[in-house]
């Protein structure tokens, strides 16, 4: 039986950090509506991944990162009957930005202490890789979903820029 790749997209996700807190947005529309997530969206034609990340930050919370730190890549494979949807998400941290973080039509921003992240109101995969990213680690992670319900995944963490650990 063969499956067909119906969609393959590159997206971005930016986590703003300030004084031991992380900025999560409550998404008002699109994939993950109602969940808390980092700031981001699809990379458009004719823009780089970093340009897309900057544009999404401005559009969703009116803040423009002065510098983005690339922390890794997430692979999401979603099975739905015979169709497969693939999403590749580049993850960044941002510690300095221009403008005041504001609510927009797309997103409502909230600052959370790193010890009070609302994992139960986030994508199921986040708890497996986001703690590493928030500690400044670089990661590569891959997750399989069935109709956006998590089936399994694998997270590789780059320790001190050298050793690679694998967690299932
Ligand atoms: P729009 O469709 O709103 O962009 N995204 C995910 N984020 C997490 N944490 N887990 C997932 O598990 C995700 N799948 C997609 C990438 C979608 C936004 O949602 C992120 C984008 O920032 C499946 O344009």
């Amino acid at each position: 039986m063969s499956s067909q790749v119906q969609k393959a997209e590159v997206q971005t996700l930016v986590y703003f950090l300030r004084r031991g807190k992380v900025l999560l947005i409550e998404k008002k529309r699109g994939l993950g509506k109602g969940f808390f997530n980092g700031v981001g969206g699809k990379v458009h034609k004719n823009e780089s991944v970093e340009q897309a990340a900057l544009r999404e930050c401005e559009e969703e919370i009116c803040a423009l990162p002065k510098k983005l730190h690339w922390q890794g890549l997430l692979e999401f494979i979603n099975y739905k009957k015979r169709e497969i949807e693939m999403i590749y998400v580049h993850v960044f941290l941002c510690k300095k930005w221009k403008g005041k973080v504001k609510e927009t039509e797309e997103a409502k921003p909230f600052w959370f202490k790193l010890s009070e992240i609302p994992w139960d109101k986030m994508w199921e995969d986040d708890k497996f890789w986001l703690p590493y990213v928030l500690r400044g680690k670089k990661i590569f992670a891959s997750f399989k979903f069935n109709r956006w319900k998590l089936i399994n995944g694998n997270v590789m963490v780059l320790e001190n820029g050298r050793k690679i650990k694998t967690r299932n």
Side-chain angles (χ1 to χ4, degrees):
M1 194 173 83
S2 66
S3 302
Q4 239 191 352
V5 176
Q6 203 209 10
K7 183 169 115 176
E9 244 172 38
V10 181
Q11 303 188 354
T12 62
L13 209 41
V14 182
Y15 293 88
F16 286 62
L17 293 175
R18 191 187 63 185
R19 295 191 211 112
K21 290 186 177 174
V22 59
L23 183 86
L24 297 176
I25 56 168
E26 192 181 348
K27 290 203 65 168
K28 295 188 186 171
R29 60 190 188 207
L31 183 64
K33 179 171 176 263
F35 281 5
F36 286 105
N37 208 346
V39 184
K42 297 173 192 57
V43 176
H44 293 169
K45 254 192 193 164
N46 304 323
E47 69 180 355
S48 67
V49 170
E50 185 153 323
Q51 281 167 347
L54 296 173
R55 175 183 50 72
E56 290 284 347
C57 292
E58 249 196 326
E59 285 176 9
E60 294 193 330
I61 57 163
C62 301
L64 183 67
K66 287 187 179 169
K67 188 171 177 175
L68 288 171
H69 302 266
W70 187 83
Q71 299 300 136
L73 184 64
L74 306 169
E75 176 184 59
F76 299 123
I77 304 175
N78 183 39
Y79 294 88
K80 189 179 151 193
K81 285 194 185 157
R82 283 176 162 206
E83 290 166 5
I84 302 179
E85 196 178 344
M86 295 181 352
I87 303 182
Y88 290 86
V89 183
H90 288 269
V91 183
F92 299 90
L93 287 178
C94 171
K95 296 170 190 165
K96 284 189 178 154
W97 56 91
K98 263 196 291 195
K100 198 166 151 48
V101 172
K102 272 205 306 225
E103 180 175 355
T104 62
E105 272 176 26
E106 289 190 48
K108 194 168 180 176
F110 296 90
W111 288 99
F112 289 94
K113 282 191 190 156
L114 296 181
S115 56
E116 291 172 6
I117 292 176
W119 300 110
D120 56 330
K121 296 190 192 92
M122 294 166 71
W123 278 100
E124 269 180 289
D125 54 275
D126 291 7
K127 55 179 164 301
F128 298 110
W129 59 268
L130 184 56
Y132 295 111
V133 166
L134 295 177
R135 275 186 256 139
K137 303 275 189 221
K138 289 197 170 67
I139 52 127
F140 174 77
S142 177
F143 295 96
K144 288 197 173 76
F145 293 83
N146 191 336
R147 294 170 184 271
W148 290 118
K149 179 97 193 94
L150 187 62
I151 309 170
N152 61 44
N154 179 59
V155 181
M156 287 194 282
V157 187
L158 191 67
E159 301 278 2
N160 308 320
R162 280 187 278 128
K163 198 167 119 209
I164 288 177
K165 274 191 197 164
T166 303
R167 313 262 158 107
N168 287 302

